[in-house]
Amino acid sequence: MFKTRLLSGIVLVAAALVTIISGGPVLAGVLAVISMIAFFELSKAVGLHTEGQKGNGMEIAGGCGILLYYGVLILVSFKPELIVISNAGICLTAIIFTLVLFMFVYVFSFPKFKASHVIHAFFSFVYAPVMLSFLYLTRMLESGNFIVWMILISAWGCDTCAYCVGVLIGKHKLAPKLSPKKSIEGAVGGVIGAAALGALYGFLVVERVIPDKRIAATFAVIGGTGAVISQVGDLAASGIKRDHGIKDYGKLIPGHGGIMDRFDSVIFTAPVIYFLAQMMINL
């Protein structure tokens, strides 16, 4: 299992490197696929999708919303002059349009779906597809080719550091009913580790490329803040699984589970890094 998990992790990191470095339509397209898979994993977890079912109106509406949303992002990559609203405006428009689609299905197929199905579908759309899109939005910022890596440093760096510290000195449970293996010591170690990795990345990489900028301390703050949020994301995804009695969201990634199992912390961290970058970074 460890070997399988390690090999899968290496492939994921390599794929992330290639995709994020490419940016633009490549990154948006890959995120659209990942978002679609994550949406269906969530819809299945919360009971919107049943085993053996090929699809239903709510899932189809969600899929259409995802395609429209990322389609606009990709279009803007090719034709940036076409954009007439801000990135925040694009996100809000997509969210509202997709909610209307869900309500359209709800109304015209009544009483097939209940109001709770609309809530589950809308939650699944915002939770994964919209929040994951902030990886792309961060990459497309000015100097986003540097900033976007802070999302992975905060999420995956924190996860690795928290695991190592937890194994070595973890004694006090962080959330015993939700995730018995996580410790307070590990959580603190994850935050400190992510902050240190952010500082190192800023000092050894960014400051070497842009020598007149001193960004290490800022990246340390962003890394530590992102790490706190990433752990909330991890625990939130675990809570949903426990609520619905499932071990993993899927089996797509050997040794890791589904997209939601691997990207749970990234999903929460990406929007936070995007907004922190807007407020704190001027490269």
Side-chain angles (χ1 to χ4, degrees):
M1 175 60 75
F2 175 76
K3 183 178 179 180
T4 301
R5 186 178 177 86
L6 177 62
L7 290 174
S8 297
I10 293 172
V11 171
L12 278 174
V13 170
L17 286 170
V18 173
T19 304
I20 293 174
I21 290 172
S22 299
V26 173
L27 177 57
V30 170
L31 285 174
V33 173
I34 290 174
S35 295
M36 193 72 74
I37 296 170
F39 173 78
F40 284 105
E41 286 180 350
L42 270 173
S43 70
K44 183 177 179 180
V46 300
L48 187 63
H49 176 92
T50 55
E51 198 67 41
Q53 185 184 52
K54 292 184 177 181
N56 60 48
M58 288 294 171
E59 290 181 312
I60 293 171
C64 289
I66 294 168
L67 290 176
L68 175 66
Y69 181 41
Y70 279 96
V72 172
L73 294 181
I74 292 172
L75 178 62
V76 171
S77 297
F78 284 111
K79 298 283 186 178
E81 66 273 11
L82 293 178
I83 188 168
V84 293
I85 55 177
S86 65
N87 287 330
I90 291 175
C91 293
L92 183 59
T93 301
I95 290 170
I96 293 173
F97 179 82
T98 306
L99 176 58
V100 171
L101 277 180
F102 288 139
M103 295 305 295
F104 197 95
V105 173
Y106 173 65
V107 168
F108 287 100
S109 61
F110 191 86
K112 180 178 179 180
F113 296 106
K114 299 183 182 300
S116 60
H117 291 135
V118 179
I119 295 170
H120 289 152
F122 185 62
F123 167 78
S124 298
F125 172 74
V126 174
Y127 189 0
V130 173
M131 292 178 73
L132 268 176
S133 73
F134 280 88
L135 256 170
Y136 171 83
L137 295 173
T138 302
R139 175 65 176 83
M140 299 307 291
L141 288 173
E142 185 177 357
S143 300
N145 56 322
F146 295 115
I147 300 168
V148 70
W149 300 106
M150 288 303 301
I151 295 173
L152 301 186
I153 288 171
S154 297
W156 292 350
C158 171
D159 186 40
T160 302
C161 292
Y163 174 79
C164 293
V165 173
V167 168
L168 290 173
I169 61 172
K171 293 182 179 179
H172 301 88
K173 301 299 182 183
L174 178 65
K177 293 184 178 180
L178 190 56
S179 188
K181 293 183 179 180
K182 295 187 184 300
S183 66
I184 295 175
E185 293 83 358
V188 173
V191 173
I192 294 173
L197 289 171
L200 286 172
Y201 169 65
F203 178 72
L204 297 176
V205 178
V206 182
E207 291 185 9
R208 295 297 177 269
V209 179
I210 311 176
D212 60 329
K213 295 291 183 179
R214 295 294 175 263
I215 200 70
T218 302
F219 273 18
V221 173
I222 291 175
T225 304
V228 173
I229 302 301
S230 78
Q231 294 186 70
V232 175
D234 189 2
L235 289 170
S238 296
I240 294 171
K241 288 191 289 187
R242 287 190 177 277
D243 275 345
H244 295 87
I246 59 175
K247 184 179 183 296
D248 294 315
Y249 283 100
K251 300 178 181 179
L252 181 65
I253 308 172
H256 293 269
I259 291 294
M260 285 297 303
D261 296 294
R262 182 63 275 178
F263 287 85
D264 50 7
S265 55
V266 173
I267 287 170
F268 264 52
T269 307
V272 173
I273 299 300
Y274 174 81
F275 290 114
L276 286 176
Q278 298 274 57
M279 292 186 292
M280 299 178 64
I281 298 176
N282 180 24
L283 292 178

